[in-house]
Amino acid sequence: AATCATMSKPLSDHDRKKQISVRGLAGVENVAELKQNFNRHLHFTLVKDRNVATRRDYYFALAHTVRDHLIGRWIRTQQHYYEKDPKRVYYISLEFYMGRTLQNTMVNLALENACDEATYQLGLDMEELEDMEEDAGLGNGGLGRLAACFLDSMASLGLAAYGYGIRYEFGIFNQKIVNGWQVEEADDWLRYGNPWEKARPEYMRPVHFYGRTEHHPDGVKWVDTQVVLALPYDTPIPGYRNNVVNTMRLWSAKAPCEFNLKDFNIGGYIQAVLDRNLAENISRVLYPNDNFFEGKELRLKQEYFVVSATLQDIIRRFKVSKFGSREIARTDFSKLPDKVAIQLNDTHPAMAIPELMRVLVDEEKLDWEKAWDICVRTCAYTNHTVLPEALERWPVDLFAHLLPRHLEIVYEINRRHLERVAAKYPGDCDRLRRMSLIEEGGQKRINMAHLCIVGSHAVNGVAQIHSDILKATIFKDFYEMEPHKFQNKTNGITPRRWLVMCNPGLAEVIAERIGEDFIRDLDQLQGLLKYVNDEAFIRDVAKVKQENKLKFAVHLEEHYKVKINPNSMFDIQVKRIHEYKRQLLNCLHIITYYNRIKKEPNKQWTPRTIMIGGKAAPGYHTAKMIIRLITAIGEVVNNDPVVGDRLKVIFLENYRVTLAERAIPAADLSEQISTAGTEASGTGNMKFMLNGALTIGTMDGANVEMAEEAGEDNLFIFGMRVDDVDALDKRGYHAEEYYNRLPELKQAIDQIAGGFFSPKQPDLFKEIVNMLMHHDRFKVFADYEDYIKCQEKVNALYKNPKEWTKKVIYNIAGCGKFSSDRTIAQYAREIWGMEPTLEKLPAPDDKH
């Protein structure tokens, strides 16, 4: 505050509250320099003056100003890696769900307060400018967001890491709700340009498709291929206040100059140029499927495109080890596993295995055994799902057409693999069939998960229960044969984005008690346990939650024109819409609660605002019907005067990273209600826990470990466990038994079936009712009774704010394990053979 006098105006109370340490210090010099650079970028980069600049121009000027602080660190970091020549990890993912970059960069570089003050002095509002940024929505949900959190942690832990993926021109669709139905709109996120990326045409790489193979005495040649160029775009990934800036490199498809022009004939030129689009379609759009495999040729092209371009980059970097040099310094590929770790984020980049073999055998002329040893020691595979419809199985015919050489390589990998199986289990033909990479019968398919297991030295699930299920069920044969390969790496979230950035009030209240080091060592949150009974701390935590709820309520009223009771319990379920995540179970609770209020309107009910959000895959009919049901229930409940503000139902439109950052800090109750044994981990569950919401959930995914860390008494656990689900499968699940036995369930189902929620179309929801009654794979009714009872406990506790907040504190204190820093440190030590470090790199001299 000593510097306030020299600022252009005194700080208001609002600004003083923002001058907190976790946001960095706003020194006078910093503020002056930021203002100067802001004006410079407005003038020279955007070619505008203050008379004609738009709010978007101001956002771009601020983004470029902040980016300037990354550049020196970025170049320094890469130089440092070349000098030290550490092992490098390559995280290959078809999805990176990054969200917005500006505020995250300010947090990690400790620039937030200085930028806030600078924009304020320039007469601008930083939050308004931040709101101009488009989300980088290059992911569907959990898998893509995990990749983004991992990049943050790898940089914060000083690992020489690279994220590799595709620069989709159109990310996950924007969801509009029109007359209660989901409508998809294209996400044209690059329309105004992306200030965070730098194109690198000098590292463009050719990627081959189609063609045929020729077998010569000196090896195999893949010829007559069609070439597409991969153009890299680099995005800086800053670590938390350690001056490390890593790189995410995303590939964009470009047609080569000579594309199709060789077929040039009179008048064919225009068409040939237009046809270039076909090549460039590879990076046009993200497939909007979550936990579902769609065997489309374009998707296989995307998968091979990212893998081929990335491996060329990896090998170029391996061979050339001096910064800025093009000299080949390394030719001995036996050292590759000592210098390179490749992590496959699910099976989508599985083509890395046959492609690495092709490069080593066909191009570098290694013999097969040597190449295979290198390949296995370099690659590792993360599995993200046990749902059978999600597992990738590519038709052999498609593979043969698109990647003929790779099919030969996969067959050879399989032949040798089955020889090993046969040697270990002689005469066990059934085991050979189960463990083959090629599934026979009907249409022959390549099982990509099997390819990943055979071609990797480590295979991991993403929560303990999930890793155990993999070993006991879908990968049982592989586990029996090579148990040493199987590991668990429970997922985590980055506390930078998911606490410091989205919930600064809570971060500050925590920092006042235990200091700031928890941001890079989340286990320190255990230090809050000694404040569980501290009246002042309980009050502070509750106050932050109330402020977040008020802020979110304002946002909701603006967007949904529904009056929200900010004293009601904010009960939130946000995730992809999928039968296994059981948004329908939540709907049944809403209807039951509504019916109870209607039956006894004068009773003291705990008021609730129930919010459900998420996108349905455009081709997933049932998921779209579930959204329609939620909106229909909302129309009835929200307009019933008897209910008033005791129950409101809102469908959160266009759920994405940026909306999560608003909703999660405001939540009281987090709904994690998948059928036990179906959710691999979940990470939304962790975000809610860290932000002071209590969880109602099944013993599934990471919920199990959350209950271990915070104490099962501090979560609302209900429903069948995995063993119960298995037992019910053996007995047979009969929905009508529950329907006939539970009057409130029967009433709710009859209302849905009879058109109570769709009076104009009484049979609108007959398919949903039919599914629930006759072919519900996820056994919604089996958990209904226990879920309703558990929700009654939630209501009772919410009436006692002090006891509720104590449970919240136990939960926050138990969050340490769920930092992606812990997850990445385990990957580094137990899979990649790398050691994380909290050392800072020297800060760049800003004059350079």
Side-chain angles (χ1 to χ4, degrees):
T3 57
C4 290
T6 55
M7 290 183 177
S8 62
K9 59 179 186 19
L11 287 173
S12 66
D13 286 344
H14 155 77
D15 289 305
R16 234 179 254 293
K17 183 169 170 293
K18 277 190 158 172
Q19 293 292 89
I20 57 178
S21 52
V22 289
R23 295 168 57 103
L25 298 169
V28 183
E29 305 78 13
N30 283 353
V31 172
E33 188 211 358
L34 287 167
K35 282 162 66 178
Q36 189 185 348
N37 286 339
F38 178 93
N39 286 324
R40 186 171 56 82
H41 277 297
L42 192 62
H43 191 85
F44 289 107
T45 309
L46 296 159
V47 196
K48 289 282 180 89
D49 66 21
R50 290 293 298 257
N51 300 311
V52 293
T54 63
R55 193 183 297 171
R56 179 168 282 106
D57 293 321
Y58 292 137
Y59 157 69
F60 274 107
L62 180 57
H64 279 106
T65 303
V66 169
R67 178 175 166 267
D68 286 350
H69 286 256
L70 284 169
I71 303 299
R73 292 173 170 87
W74 197 7
I75 291 171
R76 278 290 175 86
T77 302
Q78 304 311 313
Q79 281 173 336
H80 172 76
Y81 292 156
Y82 275 93
E83 284 157 18
K84 291 279 181 280
D85 193 32
K87 187 170 187 178
R88 291 168 158 87
V89 60
Y90 295 95
Y91 194 85
I92 312 181
S93 179
L94 267 281
E95 302 184 19
F96 285 98
Y97 206 172
M98 303 298 286
R100 291 174 176 169
T101 294
L102 175 59
Q103 194 187 355
N104 186 68
T105 304
M106 294 189 296
V107 164
N108 280 12
L109 297 186
L111 284 171
E112 217 176 346
N113 272 328
C115 287
D116 198 24
E117 186 58 37
T119 47
Y120 185 57
Q121 291 184 19
L122 290 162
L124 301 166
D125 178 326
M126 192 164 81
E127 266 189 48
E128 279 185 6
L129 301 190
E130 287 169 350
D131 243 2
M132 299 305 298
E133 182 173 357
E134 300 275 355
D135 272 48
L138 308 186
N140 278 288
L143 173 144
R145 184 54 233 173
L146 184 79
C149 284
F150 278 5
L151 292 183
D152 181 272
S153 284
M154 289 187 281
S156 296
L157 291 173
L159 297 172
Y162 300 78
Y164 273 93
I166 293 178
R167 180 181 178 265
Y168 300 105
E169 199 177 317
F170 296 91
I172 187 67
F173 62 87
N174 283 316
Q175 179 194 56
K176 291 266 185 292
I177 301 296
V178 179
N179 299 325
W181 296 95
Q182 168 175 299
V183 176
E184 299 89 21
E185 279 180 3
D187 164 41
D188 194 2
W189 71 291
L190 291 169
R191 184 173 24 198
Y192 300 103
N194 173 6
W196 304 105
E197 68 182 9
K198 174 74 181 83
R200 301 281 194 198
E202 67 275 23
Y203 294 118
M204 195 129 65
R205 295 282 171 258
V207 176
H208 298 262
F209 295 102
Y210 307 110
R212 57 192 173 80
T213 58
E214 291 178 351
H215 292 249
H216 300 279
D218 61 339
V220 182
K221 290 195 167 53
W222 180 17
V223 297
D224 295 341
T225 56
Q226 195 185 97
V227 174
V228 176
L229 298 176
L231 169 64
Y233 285 79
D234 288 356
T235 299
I237 305 291
Y240 181 70
R241 302 188 186 179
N242 61 353
N243 298 318
V244 170
V245 181
N246 283 342
T247 303
M248 174 175 68
R249 175 163 285 183
L250 302 180
W251 301 101
S252 184
K254 286 272 166 241
C257 288
E258 66 278 12
F259 183 77
N260 276 352
L261 297 190
K262 57 181 179 301
D263 313 328
F264 178 51
N265 52 34
I266 308 298
Y269 162 71
I270 296 285
Q271 193 53 49
V273 173
L274 297 180
D275 284 348
R276 293 165 60 89
N277 273 334
L278 298 175
E280 296 177 358
N281 278 340
I282 291 175
S283 56
R284 196 80 68 204
V285 62
L286 167 76
Y287 275 88
N289 283 322
D290 194 63
N291 275 302
F292 183 78
F293 170 61
E294 193 178 4
K296 294 278 193 281
E297 181 175 358
L298 179 59
R299 173 65 172 195
L300 185 55
K301 269 190 175 168
Q302 289 181 338
E303 293 185 354
Y304 178 65
F305 174 75
V306 68
V307 153
S308 168
T310 299
L311 278 174
Q312 291 178 65
D313 232 18
I314 291 173
I315 284 163
R316 171 188 60 79
R317 210 176 273 122
F318 170 74
K319 286 180 173 178
V320 181
S321 59
K322 277 221 323 283
F323 190 70
S325 156
R326 303 268 165 106
E327 311 272 300
I328 288 192
R330 252 195 295 253
T331 49
D332 178 3
F333 277 92
S334 65
K335 299 278 186 290
L336 190 77
D338 302 330
K339 289 296 175 189
V340 170
I342 294 173
Q343 191 67 36
L344 308 175
N345 193 26
D346 216 339
T347 54
H348 313 145
M351 291 304 303
I353 291 165
E355 174 66 1
L356 182 54
M357 287 301 288
R358 187 190 69 78
V359 171
L360 294 176
V361 173
D362 294 1
E363 293 180 9
E364 302 294 341
K365 306 297 183 195
L366 274 69
D367 67 66
W368 183 279
E369 284 78 11
K370 180 107 183 103
W372 183 245
D373 175 63
I374 290 167
C375 178
V376 172
R377 285 166 51 213
T378 303
C379 295
Y381 157 55
T382 301
N383 170 279
H384 283 274
T385 181
V386 295
L387 296 181
E389 64 267 34
L391 299 175
E392 291 195 298
R393 299 180 168 93
W394 287 105
V396 165
D397 299 345
L398 172 59
F399 221 88
H401 174 56
L402 191 68
L403 300 165
R405 176 58 182 142
H406 296 77
L407 183 61
E408 294 176 354
I409 290 171
V410 169
Y411 272 135
E412 180 61 15
I413 291 171
N414 195 41
R415 184 183 71 75
R416 290 166 181 256
H417 159 62
L418 291 180
E419 270 180 10
R420 286 202 317 276
V421 177
K424 186 154 187 186
Y425 304 97
D428 192 341
C429 294
D430 204 44
R431 187 183 291 262
L432 282 176
R433 181 188 54 75
R434 293 195 308 265
M435 291 183 75
S436 176
L437 309 190
I438 313 295
E439 297 180 352
E440 305 286 347
Q443 191 185 32
K444 270 192 177 180
R445 294 175 174 272
I446 303 174
N447 184 313
M448 300 308 271
H450 290 185
L451 174 61
C452 285
I453 297 170
V454 172
S456 296
H457 68 281
V459 176
N460 72 283
V462 290
Q464 191 61 57
I465 184 177
H466 170 232
S467 296
D468 291 343
I469 289 170
L470 292 179
K471 295 190 293 196
T473 60
I474 59 170
F475 300 153
K476 180 170 189 278
D477 294 318
F478 292 92
Y479 174 64
E480 284 174 3
M481 184 160 156
E482 302 185 287
H484 59 274
K485 278 192 181 183
F486 287 79
Q487 302 192 11
N488 173 57
K489 297 286 168 279
T490 299
N491 282 343
I493 58 172
T494 167
R496 272 72 63 181
R497 183 176 293 264
W498 296 112
L499 179 58
V500 181
M501 182 183 133
C502 71
N503 202 343
L506 183 58
E508 188 55 23
V509 163
I510 293 169
E512 281 167 5
R513 301 310 194 288
I514 63 170
E516 266 184 58
D517 288 348
F518 71 90
I519 298 168
R520 49 155 33 97
D521 174 14
L522 208 60
D523 286 327
Q524 292 189 19
L525 289 176
Q526 286 174 350
L528 295 175
L529 289 173
K530 59 175 179 286
Y531 297 100
V532 166
N533 295 306
D534 180 313
E535 298 286 344
F537 186 59
I538 292 171
R539 212 171 35 244
D540 285 351
V541 169
K543 182 165 174 279
V544 167
K545 178 63 71 182
Q546 200 51 37
E547 284 168 0
N548 291 338
K549 287 173 70 173
L550 284 164
K551 193 172 173 186
F552 193 49
V554 169
H555 173 81
L556 291 174
E557 285 172 27
E558 276 171 25
H559 284 75
Y560 299 97
K561 312 292 177 244
V562 177
K563 188 91 182 87
I564 304 290
N565 171 5
N567 297 316
S568 63
M569 182 199 309
F570 282 18
D571 167 352
I572 306 188
Q573 183 180 23
V574 279
K575 47 188 75 255
R576 287 295 296 244
I577 309 294
H578 200 298
E579 287 164 81
Y580 88 86
K581 293 178 187 284
R582 297 202 296 192
Q583 284 91 356
L584 287 172
L585 183 57
N586 195 342
C587 288
L588 291 176
H589 169 250
I590 298 172
I591 296 171
T592 303
Y593 200 47
Y594 169 76
N595 288 334
R596 287 181 179 183
I597 296 172
K598 291 283 282 183
K599 197 170 161 190
E600 299 184 79
N602 300 321
K603 205 173 145 187
Q604 283 298 301
W605 299 101
T606 303
R608 284 200 193 213
T609 302
I610 301 177
M611 301 171 230
I612 304 177
K615 293 175 181 177
Y620 188 174
H621 175 71
T622 304
K624 290 185 138 178
M625 288 307 304
I626 291 170
I627 291 176
R628 184 65 192 94
L629 177 62
I630 297 163
T631 57
I633 294 168
E635 282 158 30
V636 170
V637 170
N638 298 346
N639 294 305
D640 192 324
V642 175
V643 174
D645 66 358
R646 293 180 289 188
L647 182 59
K648 289 281 184 244
V649 179
I650 294 178
F651 186 83
L652 295 173
E653 186 176 72
N654 202 30
Y655 181 64
R656 59 201 185 284
V657 175
T658 296
L659 184 53
E661 290 163 4
R662 294 177 194 267
I664 290 170
D668 292 303
L669 187 68
S670 157
E671 301 264 356
Q672 308 297 337
I673 57 179
S674 51
T675 313
T678 60
E679 185 71 270
S681 165
T683 47
N685 46 4
M686 304 169 187
K687 290 161 197 163
F688 280 106
M689 180 184 186
L690 182 59
N691 281 279
L694 298 185
T695 302
I696 183 166
T698 50
M699 275 298 199
D700 196 21
N703 296 358
V704 178
E705 290 159 76
M706 285 162 48
E708 264 168 39
E709 296 295 310
E712 199 172 319
D713 295 350
N714 295 312
L715 282 76
F716 299 99
I717 299 291
F718 72 92
M720 298 179 288
R721 314 277 163 130
V722 171
D723 296 345
D724 303 320
V725 175
D726 291 343
L728 183 53
D729 275 327
K730 287 199 181 70
R731 276 204 313 282
Y733 167 67
H734 303 293
E736 53 279 4
E737 291 173 11
Y738 302 92
Y739 171 83
N740 291 324
R741 183 167 61 77
L742 303 166
E744 287 185 306
L745 174 60
K746 181 178 191 302
Q747 181 187 6
I749 293 298
D750 291 349
Q751 285 171 314
I752 297 170
F756 180 84
F757 296 105
S758 52
K760 293 192 178 122
Q761 291 170 272
D763 58 358
L764 180 60
F765 299 117
K766 68 171 187 297
E767 291 166 306
I768 284 191
V769 171
N770 185 43
M771 182 275 290
L772 285 171
M773 294 294 291
H774 303 296
H775 48 93
D776 172 14
R777 289 165 58 200
F778 302 105
K779 308 177 176 62
V780 170
F781 290 4
D783 275 343
Y784 168 83
E785 188 176 19
D786 203 20
Y787 180 54
I788 300 294
K789 284 197 179 114
C790 196
Q791 289 282 19
E792 289 167 12
K793 288 185 202 153
V794 174
N795 283 337
L797 186 67
Y798 193 74
K799 288 190 165 129
N800 185 340
K802 190 170 157 187
E803 289 308 309
W804 179 280
T805 306
K806 281 187 187 180
K807 283 198 192 292
V808 165
I809 295 167
Y810 277 115
N811 272 274
I812 296 171
C815 274
K817 178 177 185 177
F818 306 109
S819 169
S820 49
D821 296 347
R822 185 269 316 153
T823 313
I824 287 298
Q826 288 184 328
Y827 274 99
R829 293 182 177 122
E830 297 163 23
I831 296 180
W832 305 331
M834 298 165 76
E835 190 52 40
T837 170
L838 291 177
E839 276 174 56
K840 284 175 84 155
L841 286 187
D845 177 357
D846 286 335
K847 293 178 181 58
H848 286 292

